[in-house]
Structure formats: C-alpha cells, structure tokens
Amino acid sequence: MANLVRRAANAIIRPPRKNYDLSSIPKFLQGDDDDTYIRQPIELTNNRNLKLVGSLYYSTGMSTTSGGPCVIYLHGNASSQLEGQFLVPNLCRYGIYVFCFDFAGCGCSEGKYVSLGFYEKEDTEFIIDHLHSQFNLSPFILWGRSMGAATALLIDKPLILARVSDSSFTSVSDMCS
C-alpha cells in the first residue's frame, strides 16, 4: 500500500517531464496573417536558485523597450512553454506581448518537483516583476491551464488586469479524485 501511495504522490509532484530541444524553438514565427513574430529567449534564476527558461514573443512592429500589455501563459502539469505558442499569432498582431515559460520541474527549467501552485505562484510573481522592470511590460493577463490555471487564481498583484483559468482544480484532493 505504501508503494502505491508513493507512486501516486510522485505522479503528481514528479510528473513525466515534457522533453524538447530548446534550440529547436525558432527565433521567428510566421503567422497565417503573413506577419512575423519574434521570439526572445529569456533565462531567469528564481528565489530557490533554479533556472527558469522562457520566451518573450512580439510582432516585428513592436520593440522590447517600448512596453505594453503582456499575456503570461502558465502551462499545465507535465507540460512546457510550447503549450502556449498558440497565443502568439492571436495576440501579438494586436500589440500584445506573450510570455511563455517552463515552470520549475518542467520542460527545460531546472528542478525535480512541481508544487501544483505553491512555488509556481512565487515564480510567476517573480517573472511579472522581471518583465515589468526589464521590459516595462504591463498590465498583465495570466492565461493558465490546469496547474497553471490554479496558479493564476492564487496570484494577487496590482499589475494583473485579468485571468483566464482553463480547467483549474480547487484542491489537490479534488484533482486526485
């Protein structure tokens, strides 16, 4: 029985990592609207000394120094920043920046575990502060799915204008059932 409980816990806090080659993400994306979108890779070290990797996307008519609104995509458990790329052509064409990243313990970011919102909240707040101070981005919209949706609901910062919460869970016990 103890082995079964251990396996169940590991399935939640140590999900299979979404593996991909970071260098395979193109620096330029071509939209179906014939616009080109730029990807700026970003690496940050969080407060737990773990490297987080992400990508800031914007249209060729935009600049990383001009500031503006930004949607931060918060991926689900066992996923990565690749999950949020669908937002790039849908938002950047309207002058909205998109930031996608791998939570600690996911994708190409460092870490072994996910916390289903606890540390993900801390990391997202850290990222908001960084994007605001380094790129003058604001206001922010958080767009989360599953674990990312739960994380989006936990964050309370004045720079957040709205949240999109897709398939959030309200508690770990609800998620397990």
Side-chain angles (χ1 to χ4, degrees):
M1 180 67 166
N3 189 32
L4 182 62
V5 171
R6 188 176 307 110
R7 284 187 17 217
N10 279 336
I12 295 170
I13 65 171
R14 293 184 76 180
R17 190 180 286 260
K18 169 73 175 168
N19 291 315
Y20 67 95
D21 181 3
L22 195 55
S23 66
S24 70
I25 305 175
K27 298 278 183 155
F28 300 95
L29 299 174
Q30 191 68 39
D32 57 5
D33 58 353
D34 291 328
D35 201 356
T36 301
Y37 305 103
I38 300 166
R39 172 185 166 264
Q40 180 172 333
I42 294 177
E43 287 189 6
L44 301 170
T45 302
N46 68 12
N47 297 330
R48 296 181 324 279
N49 206 32
L50 297 171
K51 180 180 73 171
L52 303 176
V53 299
S55 301
L56 180 63
Y57 294 94
Y58 52 97
S59 179
T60 54
M62 300 162 71
S63 162
T64 57
T65 60
S66 62
C70 180
V71 171
I72 300 176
Y73 187 80
L74 309 173
H75 65 75
N77 199 3
S79 192
S80 73
Q81 66 171 305
L82 301 177
E83 185 180 285
Q85 284 184 332
F86 74 96
L87 292 172
V88 174
N90 292 306
L91 297 175
C92 292
R93 72 174 73 180
Y94 299 108
I96 301 169
Y97 294 83
V98 174
F99 185 74
C100 303
F101 72 103
D102 296 341
F103 282 120
C106 299
C108 293
S109 288
E110 294 179 343
K112 288 185 178 183
Y113 303 99
V114 296
S115 65
L116 301 174
F118 183 80
Y119 286 120
E120 290 78 14
K121 171 188 180 287
E122 181 181 289
D123 288 345
T124 304
E125 291 172 341
F126 174 76
I127 286 167
I128 289 169
D129 291 342
H130 177 80
L131 292 174
H132 182 64
S133 67
Q134 294 300 308
F135 300 102
N136 196 31
L137 298 179
S138 73
F140 293 94
I141 294 174
L142 302 178
W143 187 311
R145 191 186 68 74
S146 187
M147 177 181 74
T151 300
L153 295 173
L154 293 171
I155 297 170
D156 183 27
K157 288 189 81 69
L159 294 175
I160 296 173
L161 180 65
R163 294 166 182 78
V164 176
S165 181
D166 176 10
S167 307
S168 178
F169 52 85
T170 55
S171 71
V172 174
S173 60
D174 286 348
M175 182 186 68
C176 291
S177 63

